[in-house]
Amino acid sequence: MKKSIVFYLPLFVLLLSFAGNKVFGQTLPDFKLKLMDGSTLSTSQLSHKEPVLLIYFAPDCEHCRTLMKELLPQINAFKNVQILMPTFESPDDVRWFINHFQTNKYPNIKVGIEEPVFFLKNYYKLEHTPFTALFNKNGKLMVSYKEYTPVSELIKWVKAISK
């Protein structure tokens, strides 16, 4: 009996983690990101050679700022990941965020305002920020988190899908 519990427990935990993630396996939804230089980036323009990390954020969210403070020193772990950071906030707030975290220094990070506004918030039924979702290079959702997630957890997933 103990051997079967030891064998099935990890499988049960894995299944529970997927059960809590109702959008597992879905593709990255089609939306646009209005960048602060006036250009627009569509999800259809993304490379199909690299995974996508979606970070839905709010510039004044403390958990979002903590995520950035942890992510940027570890940016090399995400060098082959396209990082999209949509928000619904004002252009002034987005510019402050970009300047504060100097995201323009990283060509794989795109920060902007989602179009249409609240599309992702409604699509994923979000109540809090940050929301993170990691898609493989084929655009299939691998994992998502509806609350703050340690960067170490995201790195673990990036390594797993990059093999």
Side-chain angles (χ1 to χ4, degrees):
M1 180 72 174
K2 286 184 181 180
K3 286 185 179 180
S4 63
I5 289 173
V6 170
F7 176 76
Y8 289 108
L9 185 60
L11 181 61
F12 180 71
V13 170
L14 181 65
L15 288 174
L16 277 179
S17 71
F18 289 139
N21 187 346
K22 295 177 182 147
V23 292
F24 178 79
Q26 289 185 355
T27 58
L28 179 65
D30 190 28
F31 72 97
K32 294 179 180 167
L33 194 60
K34 180 76 170 181
L35 304 176
M36 294 304 96
D37 65 2
S39 66
T40 302
L41 175 66
S42 170
T43 53
S44 62
Q45 296 172 292
L46 298 174
S47 168
H48 295 288
K49 296 179 183 178
E50 297 176 329
V52 173
L53 175 60
L54 179 69
I55 303 173
Y56 192 81
F57 79 104
D60 61 348
C61 162
E62 282 305 317
H63 292 295
C64 300
R65 292 177 184 185
T66 299
L67 178 65
M68 290 306 290
K69 289 175 189 172
E70 290 181 10
L71 187 137
L72 293 176
Q74 306 259 1
I75 196 68
N76 283 340
F78 299 92
K79 66 182 174 188
N80 295 320
V81 176
Q82 302 168 92
I83 301 173
L84 299 182
M85 297 189 65
T87 188
F88 55 89
E89 296 287 352
S90 74
D92 287 340
D93 291 339
V94 174
R95 282 187 194 93
W96 176 89
F97 187 88
I98 290 169
N99 291 332
H100 182 78
F101 290 104
Q102 301 179 357
T103 57
N104 286 339
K105 290 177 23 180
Y106 309 98
N108 61 324
I109 299 177
K110 303 295 182 199
V111 181
I113 300 169
E114 68 177 320
E115 290 185 344
V117 175
F118 297 128
F119 171 77
L120 292 170
K121 182 180 187 302
N122 295 331
Y123 184 86
Y124 288 114
K125 298 175 176 59
L126 302 177
E127 296 178 18
H128 307 286
T129 54
F131 166 75
T132 54
L134 182 64
F135 298 84
N136 68 16
K137 65 182 178 181
N138 298 319
K140 295 289 183 187
L141 179 65
M142 301 309 296
V143 66
S144 68
Y145 301 93
K146 287 193 173 185
E147 57 188 43
Y148 169 78
T149 306
V151 171
S152 59
E153 183 75 11
L154 296 172
I155 291 171
K156 179 180 77 171
W157 277 100
V158 166
K159 287 180 180 178
I161 68 172
S162 297
K163 292 181 179 179

